[in-house]
Amino acid sequence: MALVQNAPSNLNSVKRQKTAAAPSAPSQLLRFEGHLHLRQRLVLATISGRPVRIDKIRLADDEYPGLADYEVSFLRLMEKVTNGSTLEISYTGTSLLYKPGVITGGKISHDCPNSRAIGYFLEPMIALAPFAKVPFHLTLNGITNDNVDICVDTLRTVTLPTLAKFLPTVESQIPLDLKITKRGAPPSGGGQILFQCPAIKSLKAGVTLTDPGLGVKRIRGIAYATRISPQMANRVVDAARSLLSRYIPDVYLYTDVYKGAESGKGPGYGVSLVAETTTSVLYSSECAYQPRKKAVQEVLKEGDEIPGLSLGTGAIETKENGDDDDEQVVGAAAKPPASTATQEGILGHLQNDYTFPTPEDLGIRAARLLLTEIRKGGCVDSVSQWLAILMLALSPEDVGKVRVGTLTPMSVQYLRDLKQFLGVVFKIAEEPAEDPVDEEGNTRYTSLKGGVVLTCLGTGYVNVNKNVT
């Protein structure tokens, strides 16, 4: 793949191309607008072999129009994992034309910018890796954990097991694995991971994931600390365990402290939690520490109004009752956002969702997010919905089903894009009502309403790039 800058008026002019020719496009060019969902559209274009053109990329942004640095870096990564692809970018960076090539795989190394975490770049690679010509050996350097992109721990413990359910049993020396060799906290990064995936010919046929089990049987987690006191990770573990142990006794949270060269370039700590049901369904949550913004502390003072603030569950608001002032805890449904900054300790926490005043707050937040994810139900985690949907669409020509909780906005857009790229249409039905009591008279766990069952007929996708041995 080659990145070529052309005048906006002539996007189809001179371009550089690798020696290997790209496969012929089976159909006409697809057109999209905007920078949203850029990664998934490039992934679907590569798998389907259909060229795609994206226009009006941040066209209304006067300060930073066009592609961002992390998007350009992702395009460079696509260049490394494919052969024969061509990519044309306008001078302003607001338009691009992508013609896919062959997914080659092999040993690849890439440096991710510190503006986005490694998870931003690794997620699409997990979808492409099984359909490569040779097994993947991908090394990524950058930030391993933050609160913007999915962390590498969740990818290792939840996303990869979800992918493994769709892969056939093959005798390969290359396992499906993700190793974290170095931790890298924002904003400096310095982390490193190694992702390995075998190349397959086709996926399993007729995969059905509709049984979430009778409930959660165990909870596991890992709290890490880099270039900071190990006590921070211990405090996070104690806080998260204190909340989760109220619901289930089998809770084990481990600490992982990095020192020296393996600890990256900056201090940080965080936690990743995973709950497993009786049918091996995995739910996850994560939280990571990020330094509080100094600008927030300087601007907000005692009694200042916090503009555009929506109080969440557990937020502190000061109300007047007669002559006395007292603090009351209000929930998300309480009336509104016109609050005043009354405590210095919560200023940054309320203004910036990615900052937690203490390690205990971070641990409690991660535990509550996990409980919320469990309550949603389904047979795949929210962060892995898109992968299950994509694998069902690419599976052999057989009916596949997956039961999910509330569809995420990314999953909804994925369903739309799959129809345009692959012509796959899913049948969406409400999840069946469950009897609250099982056959033995025990109370059965029931999820929130809003879950759906997705059903489709696979396209019978075959990896023609794989070497035959």
Side-chain angles (χ1 to χ4, degrees), residues 263-279:
S263 60
K265 299 180 181 179
Y269 63 90
V271 64
S272 175
L273 303 176
V274 179
E276 183 179 357
T277 70
T278 55
T279 54

Side-chain angles (χ1 to χ4, degrees), residues 147 243-244 273 283-287 356 362-376 381:
N147 287 298
L243 178 58
L244 296 175
L273 303 176
Y283 304 110
S284 69
S285 69
E286 61 184 66
C287 274
F356 300 93
L362 189 149
I364 292 295
R365 174 65 174 171
R368 287 176 176 173
L369 289 175
L370 180 64
L371 295 175
T372 302
E373 191 66 35
I374 295 172
R375 192 72 175 105
K376 291 179 182 178
D381 188 66

Side-chain angles (χ1 to χ4, degrees), residues 154-165:
T154 303
L155 289 172
R156 178 177 61 87
T157 57
V158 177
T159 305
L160 290 189
T162 301
L163 176 63
K165 295 178 181 179

Side-chain angles (χ1 to χ4, degrees), residues 114-432:
N114 291 334
S115 52
R116 296 299 288 265
I118 288 177
Y120 176 86
F121 302 88
L122 185 55
E123 266 189 305
M125 296 300 107
I126 291 176
L128 292 177
F131 310 107
K133 185 176 182 180
V134 295
F136 251 64
H137 291 267
L138 177 62
T139 302
L140 295 177
N141 304 305
I143 296 174
T144 56
N145 303 74
D146 70 353
N147 287 298
V148 179
D149 301 297
I150 182 174
C151 74
V152 293
D153 297 285
T154 303
L155 289 172
R156 178 177 61 87
T157 57
V158 177
T159 305
L160 290 189
T162 301
L163 176 63
K165 295 178 181 179
F166 295 89
L167 299 183
T169 303
V170 295
E171 295 182 0
S172 175
Q173 298 179 352
I174 306 300
L176 179 62
D177 188 27
L178 175 62
K179 297 181 181 178
I180 305 171
T181 55
K182 297 180 182 179
R183 289 278 182 181
S188 302
Q192 185 181 78
I193 63 98
L194 173 61
F195 170 61
Q196 301 181 62
C197 181
I200 64 170
K201 196 68 176 178
S202 61
L203 299 171
K204 283 183 181 179
V207 175
T208 302
L209 302 175
T210 56
D211 184 9
L214 299 178
V216 174
K217 65 178 180 180
R218 61 170 166 252
I219 296 177
R220 298 291 183 267
I222 181 170
Y224 73 91
T226 61
R227 295 188 180 273
I228 201 170
S229 172
Q231 191 64 25
M232 293 296 185
N234 295 332
R235 292 169 62 183
V236 171
V237 167
D238 292 340
R241 186 191 292 120
S242 66
L243 178 58
L244 296 175
S245 59
R246 302 176 188 175
Y247 302 94
I248 182 174
D250 192 1
V251 179
Y252 288 95
L253 308 181
Y254 306 91
T255 58
D256 191 10
V257 180
Y258 287 77
K259 298 180 181 179
E262 296 181 352
S263 60
K265 299 180 181 179
Y269 63 90
V271 64
S272 175
L273 303 176
V274 179
E276 183 179 357
T277 70
T278 55
T279 54
S280 299
V281 174
L282 301 175
Y283 304 110
S284 69
S285 69
E286 61 184 66
C287 274
Y289 166 80
Q290 287 185 220
R292 187 178 304 171
K293 296 180 179 180
K294 294 183 179 180
V296 175
Q297 298 178 3
E298 294 173 356
V299 172
L300 294 178
K301 298 179 181 179
E302 185 76 18
D304 290 348
E305 290 188 357
I306 304 178
L309 172 66
S310 297
L311 294 177
T313 303
I316 299 177
E317 183 180 28
T318 299
K319 295 185 178 180
E320 295 183 359
N321 294 332
D323 298 332
D324 299 329
D325 294 343
D326 61 344
E327 295 175 354
Q328 298 182 4
V329 178
V330 297
K335 292 179 185 179
S339 177
T340 57
T342 57
Q343 293 186 1
E344 182 180 356
I346 65 170
L347 294 184
H349 180 53
L350 292 178
Q351 191 72 2
N352 181 1
D353 293 337
Y354 305 145
T355 302
F356 300 93
T358 65
E360 287 77 12
D361 292 327
L362 189 149
I364 292 295
R365 174 65 174 171
R368 287 176 176 173
L369 289 175
L370 180 64
L371 295 175
T372 302
E373 191 66 35
I374 295 172
R375 192 72 175 105
K376 291 179 182 178
C379 294
V380 292
D381 188 66
S382 293
V383 298
S384 302
Q385 283 183 12
W386 67 273
L387 184 62
I389 292 171
L390 176 61
M391 293 299 111
L392 282 180
L394 298 177
S395 62
E397 297 181 2
D398 197 354
V399 177
K401 293 182 180 181
V402 62
R403 179 178 176 178
V404 301
T406 305
L407 281 172
T408 63
M410 182 177 181
S411 299
V412 173
Q413 186 60 41
Y414 232 106
L415 293 172
R416 296 169 179 166
D417 289 343
L418 281 172
K419 181 179 180 180
Q420 290 188 275
F421 281 96
L422 301 175
V424 177
V425 179
F426 280 76
K427 175 185 176 182
I428 303 177
E430 293 185 2
E431 61 182 2

Side-chain angles (χ1 to χ4, degrees), residues 40-60:
Q40 69 187 50
R41 286 166 178 168
L42 294 179
V43 167
L44 291 175
T46 304
I47 293 176
S48 63
R50 302 189 64 175
V52 60
R53 175 166 177 165
I54 303 177
D55 299 312
K56 298 182 180 180
I57 302 175
R58 296 187 181 88
L59 190 61

